[in-house]
Amino acid sequence: MALPEVKQTATEARLANLVMPDAGCTRAAREDALARVLEMGLPGRRDEYWKYTRPDTLVSAEAPTAALFHSDEAMLFSEFDRLKIVFVDGVFSPEESDDLELEGVTIDRIEDICCKDIHWAKELYGVLEARGQTPVQRPLAALNTAFAADGIAIHVTGKPSKPISFIYRHASETSDAMLHHIIRVESGAEVTILENGPAASRFNKCMEIDIADEGVLHHVRAQGRDHERRAATHMFTRLGKESVYKSFTLTVNGVLTRNEQVIELTGDDAVAHVAGACVGDGDFHHDDTVFVTHDAVNCESRQVFKKVLRNGATGVFQGKILVKEGAQKTDGYQISQSLLLDDDSQFLAKPELEIYADDVACSHGSTSGAIDETALFYLRSRGVPTKDATNMLTLAFLAEAVDEIEDEALAEAIVSRLEGWLSRHS
Amino acid sequence: MLEIKNLHVKLEEEEKQILKGVDLTVEAGKVHAIMGPNGSGKSTLSYVLSGRDGYEVTDGSATLDGEDLLEMEPEERAAAGVFLAFQYPVEIPGVGNMTFLRTAVNAQRKARGEDELSAADFLKEVRAKAKSLKIDADMLKRPVNVGFSGGEKKRNEILQMAMLEPKMCILDETDSGLDVDAMKLVAEGVNALRDEGRGFLVITHYQRLLDHIKPDVVHIMADGKIVKTGGPDLALEVENNGYADILAEVN
Ligand SMILES: Nc1ncnc2c1ncn2[C@@H]1O[C@H](COP(=O)(O)OP(=O)(O)O)[C@@H](O)[C@H]1O
Ligand SMILES: [Mg+2]
């Protein structure tokens, strides 16, 4: 079917500015992805899942510029022992990165997987993204598979002693970056992936994660403070039997962030938790779009998203739990809540459940509210100044999402960032 | 210490007058009790003194050691020494009881220009005080009042009072919902704080709390006013005859 003309034109304009990397064995996957882009067209305002978030600046031929943010504060996770993989405006920086050597994992650049003939990687690149295109289209992810200029392939075969940490530095006001990472966690293996930094003025990132039976992947991410940056990220995760995936994202500031999580529970007794805490001010716009598919027995999924919005900020949550036929004993939970610190801010939520099995327990809830005046008075009556009391209640509101982080030290690091933001913005 | 003169209060949102000229003076070192039927305005008085929103003072004044309370924010009143033990203590999910207590203690010290209490000193003090109120370590760790029984909430109020060492303690129906043992614990907690420099205003519906916290002065409040003031015997009179006789006599 032909695309609507507006979409056709926009898609062509964007593609005209892109060059497919000369990437050997990923070439076929890239060509396939390009075909998907051409068929779907890039997102437009009329698309069902883009009603609350304007895709214009994410699909435009040129990326809008974004000022660089300077701070004397050490970057998040600095104090943690970790293996650092640094990208500057979306380009791998070997000088700033650690040696990509760590017991229990093999780490390669995507461009090297062909000459090294890494089979699992060739079999994963673009595959989960392609599967994730139905029933909801995600054209920006297909665009990424086709044109991502860099990225990392991580093969987890053991239990590495420290987290692998992606650090995304933003160096140029006009940077327009696309990264594509793939991670395969083998049976019984376990890894923690950290991500932080603003990345680029416009950032399109795709991560495909394949977790084999009894594998475990923890993911903690913080999206940088550069307020003018824009980002569209996709995480596609497939879980095998008794495997575990836990992902948490902190977002402070950012005029446009769209984080999609597409999760497929394909083995019995698997567990997937995705959580997010965001705080934003003014023209901050933050969108979490989550799709969890239960396709096995006795799996558990949790979605916990909390947004603190002020001075006209906008929060979006679109979360779906799909329970396929035969996915009995599914335990699906979803909560999305916003704390609106004034009347100008808004929270737009679209929670969805679609269930084709009869023995399941699924619940979802979405709320939007102001600071609890009674609690505020109680704190103040004990001598806590209004500003501190408001911040305490705001952190308390976010706590349910932050509590999803299993590692206490990482959770504390996130809380201290939130405290910093609150003290600067109140 | 606490001086309330001709206090008139209406609801901010409605044309409803609740306090209609309250006169009351609590001297340092004394315990005053206020009794009165439901709806007479006792809780309203306690809220107005601690600075809750939603009320409008239309006439009169309230001062603590000569300072105008009504002009201050709730946190300033707290730092000046006002403490209200709530009739319905508030649950605050996500805020640990201990964190809350320490923040409150240090905020008040800071407001008064004193040094903050070190973590170790605070811990030592809170443990000792919690123990005498039979508040266990688990209750200290849990979120403020969340999942606490009625009695636990009231004991938690007294713990806060003991930690904050206010000048003027206002207790709003701290006895309601308590069994005899819990009431004794609470009364002991209050009695331990009785001191020459401290005043108490104990609001209660029933006389029984006053068996344990012996008042110096008893006031009867009805329809937004203090209608009768007397000694401890007045509480016994209410206990034996109810409010009807007193109200009939006043009218
Ligand atoms: N916020 C409010 N909104 C409406 N009515 C109120 C409010 N606060 C108090 N009142 C009314 O004021 C009167 C006094 O209430 P209160 O002070 O709670 O009495 P008491 O504590 O003596 O039982 C009651 O009639 C009560 O319904
Ligand atoms: Mg009352």
Side-chain angles (χ1 to χ4, degrees):
Chain A
M1 212 178 71
L3 292 173
E5 200 183 319
V6 192
K7 204 174 245 214
Q8 182 76 36
T9 313
T11 304
E12 279 168 10
R14 176 72 179 116
L15 290 176
N17 274 6
L18 288 168
V19 180
M20 192 177 290
D22 180 22
C25 63
T26 59
R27 187 78 194 184
R30 291 174 185 271
E31 296 284 359
D32 283 352
L34 176 57
R36 287 194 288 280
V37 174
L38 291 169
E39 196 190 319
M40 297 185 275
L42 291 175
R45 268 189 240 171
R46 302 199 161 184
D47 297 355
E48 193 189 345
Y49 284 88
W50 288 93
K51 277 198 185 119
Y52 302 143
T53 296
R54 287 181 157 216
D56 309 34
T57 52
L58 295 173
V59 305
S60 58
E62 304 282 344
T65 60
L68 305 178
F69 177 83
H70 297 286
S71 168
D72 294 334
E73 199 179 1
M75 274 183 92
L76 184 63
F77 306 136
S78 298
E79 70 277 29
F80 288 83
D81 183 23
R82 56 196 173 139
L83 185 136
K84 299 194 287 288
I85 304 179
V86 180
F87 294 85
V88 179
D89 287 331
V91 180
F92 176 64
S93 166
E95 302 76 38
E96 292 172 72
S97 301
D98 292 331
D99 287 340
L100 304 184
E101 299 288 332
L102 183 63
E103 198 170 323
V105 288
T106 313
I107 304 170
D108 288 284
R109 284 179 82 175
I110 292 285
E111 61 181 41
D112 295 333
I113 63 180
C114 303
C115 54
K116 292 193 183 171
D117 200 24
I118 302 172
H119 289 282
W120 72 266
K122 288 190 269 182
E123 281 155 23
L124 183 56
Y125 190 91
V127 170
L128 297 184
E129 174 265 300
R131 284 174 72 90
Q133 295 295 348
T134 44
V136 179
Q137 297 184 340
R138 306 171 201 282
L140 288 169
L143 185 77
N144 180 298
T145 299
F147 295 101
D150 214 331
I152 295 289
I154 300 176
H155 192 205
V156 188
T157 49
K159 297 187 177 179
S161 59
K162 53 187 174 185
I164 296 167
S165 180
F166 290 114
I167 297 162
Y168 304 120
R169 284 188 34 220
H170 179 197
S172 150
E173 294 194 351
T174 56
S175 53
D176 189 9
M178 270 196 230
L179 284 180
H180 194 114
H181 304 310
I182 53 176
I183 302 174
R184 161 84 184 169
V185 181
E186 290 301 342
S187 191
E190 179 167 349
V191 70
T192 297
I193 304 289
L194 306 177
E195 293 187 279
N196 68 304
S201 295
R202 181 167 71 180
F203 189 39
N204 178 332
K205 195 201 67 190
C206 187
M207 196 183 276
E208 296 178 282
I209 301 170
D210 198 13
I211 309 177
D213 297 350
E214 294 164 51
V216 178
L217 187 139
H218 291 277
H219 172 241
V220 179
R221 151 172 76 166
Q223 293 170 300
R225 276 209 239 152
D226 300 33
H227 184 57
E228 292 171 14
R229 67 174 173 76
R230 292 172 160 75
T233 76
H234 289 84
M235 301 192 67
F236 295 93
T237 306
R238 179 167 62 188
L239 287 98
K241 189 166 65 75
E242 292 172 42
S243 66
V244 176
Y245 169 61
K246 292 191 178 175
S247 170
F248 172 88
T249 300
L250 168 75
T251 312
V252 294
N253 302 354
V255 286
L256 181 55
T257 307
R258 161 96 156 197
N259 291 329
E260 298 202 27
Q261 291 260 7
V262 183
I263 295 165
E264 242 189 307
L265 297 135
T266 62
D268 295 349
D269 306 300
V271 173
H273 293 188
V274 279
C278 77
V279 287
D281 201 277
D283 53 1
F284 174 84
H285 182 108
H286 190 273
D287 175 335
D288 282 296
T289 294
V290 181
F291 199 113
V292 178
T293 304
H294 281 263
D295 197 10
V297 174
N298 202 33
C299 291
E300 173 192 312
S301 70
R302 271 173 78 81
Q303 302 172 40
V304 180
F305 288 90
K306 301 265 189 165
K307 297 177 198 280
V308 174
L309 306 166
R310 48 190 295 162
N311 292 327
T314 303
V316 176
F317 175 77
Q318 309 184 104
K320 178 156 182 169
I321 305 174
L322 168 64
V323 181
K324 287 200 173 172
E325 213 180 310
Q328 302 297 9
K329 310 259 184 250
T330 286
D331 177 2
Y333 174 78
Q334 178 195 95
I335 182 112
S336 65
Q337 294 183 311
S338 74
L339 177 63
L340 305 176
L341 294 177
D342 53 59
D343 294 338
D344 300 330
S345 302
Q346 58 172 345
F347 178 55
L348 305 158
K350 181 177 173 174
E352 293 177 282
L353 282 179
E354 198 177 326
I355 300 176
Y356 298 101
D358 49 20
D359 182 15
V360 303
C362 284
S363 65
H364 66 78
S366 182
T367 63
S368 216
I371 284 276
D372 178 349
E373 288 295 331
T374 311
L376 187 65
F377 172 64
Y378 191 65
L379 292 173
R380 294 176 68 196
S381 78
R382 297 309 182 235
V384 183
T386 311
K387 181 185 138 176
D388 299 349
T390 304
N391 289 350
M392 270 178 103
L393 294 174
T394 304
L395 277 177
F397 166 79
L398 293 167
E400 190 187 355
V402 179
D403 284 348
E404 291 289 321
I405 303 172
E406 237 166 64
D407 184 293
E408 271 181 37
L410 290 173
E412 269 171 36
I414 295 291
V415 167
S416 81
R417 289 293 145 143
L418 284 166
E419 284 171 343
W421 189 91
L422 289 169
S423 70
R424 287 190 303 273
H425 287 79
S426 54
Chain B
M1 163 168 285
L2 176 68
E3 214 168 333
I4 304 168
K5 283 191 187 145
N6 193 33
L7 190 64
H8 284 72
V9 171
K10 69 181 264 297
L11 291 177
E12 215 166 50
E13 308 261 297
E14 288 172 49
E15 285 314 306
K16 182 171 175 175
Q17 197 73 35
I18 300 175
L19 299 184
K20 302 171 180 174
V22 174
D23 286 288
L24 180 69
T25 301
V26 180
E27 310 81 7
K30 298 287 188 221
V31 175
H32 284 232
I34 299 186
M35 303 180 74
N38 271 329
S40 56
K42 304 183 298 294
S43 289
T44 301
L45 176 64
S46 71
Y47 285 145
V48 170
L49 291 174
S50 51
R52 188 177 188 140
D53 281 345
Y55 303 100
E56 189 184 326
V57 175
T58 52
D59 201 3
S61 65
T63 58
L64 184 71
D65 292 336
E67 277 189 273
D68 185 358
L69 281 180
L70 303 177
E71 280 300 306
M72 297 182 205
E73 295 297 326
E75 52 267 41
E76 294 169 337
R77 300 182 199 204
V82 174
F83 179 91
L84 168 63
F86 283 54
Q87 180 173 359
Y88 304 107
V90 181
E91 298 186 5
I92 312 184
V95 174
N97 210 12
M98 200 76 131
T99 311
F100 163 58
L101 269 172
R102 193 145 83 96
T103 309
V105 167
N106 283 333
Q108 292 203 13
R109 294 178 77 101
K110 196 171 157 200
R112 291 193 290 258
E114 301 162 11
D115 284 342
E116 292 194 353
L117 216 52
S118 78
D121 288 347
F122 170 80
L123 210 62
K124 217 165 100 188
E125 201 178 319
V126 88
R127 284 205 179 123
K129 286 178 174 166
K131 195 169 167 214
S132 64
L133 286 161
K134 296 213 163 65
I135 291 175
D136 59 25
D138 183 53
M139 261 173 77
L140 288 175
K141 266 191 251 157
R142 284 192 343 232
V144 182
N145 293 324
V146 177
F148 287 25
S149 70
E152 287 173 337
K153 284 181 182 170
K154 296 300 175 82
R155 277 185 277 147
N156 201 31
E157 294 290 286
I158 303 304
L159 173 63
Q160 291 167 36
M161 188 165 92
M163 290 301 297
L164 294 168
E165 301 181 330
K167 267 199 278 194
M168 183 64 225
C169 306
I170 305 166
L171 286 79
D172 190 2
E173 299 214 19
T174 299
D175 52 335
S176 66
L178 295 187
D179 59 28
V180 178
D181 291 338
M183 184 154 65
K184 277 190 188 153
L185 271 179
V186 162
E188 278 166 25
V190 172
N191 288 331
L193 282 169
R194 289 182 75 159
D195 172 301
E196 279 177 12
R198 189 169 283 136
F200 286 86
L201 190 57
V202 179
I203 296 171
T204 179
H205 197 65
Y206 302 105
Q207 195 267 339
R208 54 175 202 164
L209 178 66
L210 304 180
D211 286 340
H212 302 285
I213 306 173
K214 296 262 183 290
D216 298 295
V217 184
V218 175
H219 308 272
I220 307 297
M221 187 163 186
D223 193 23
K225 275 189 197 166
I226 304 290
V227 293
K228 189 165 182 180
T229 296
D233 293 349
L234 186 53
L236 289 169
E237 195 184 323
V238 170
E239 177 75 1
N240 295 329
N241 306 331
Y243 291 109
D245 287 2
I246 295 169
L247 299 184
E249 177 193 322
V250 177
N251 292 332

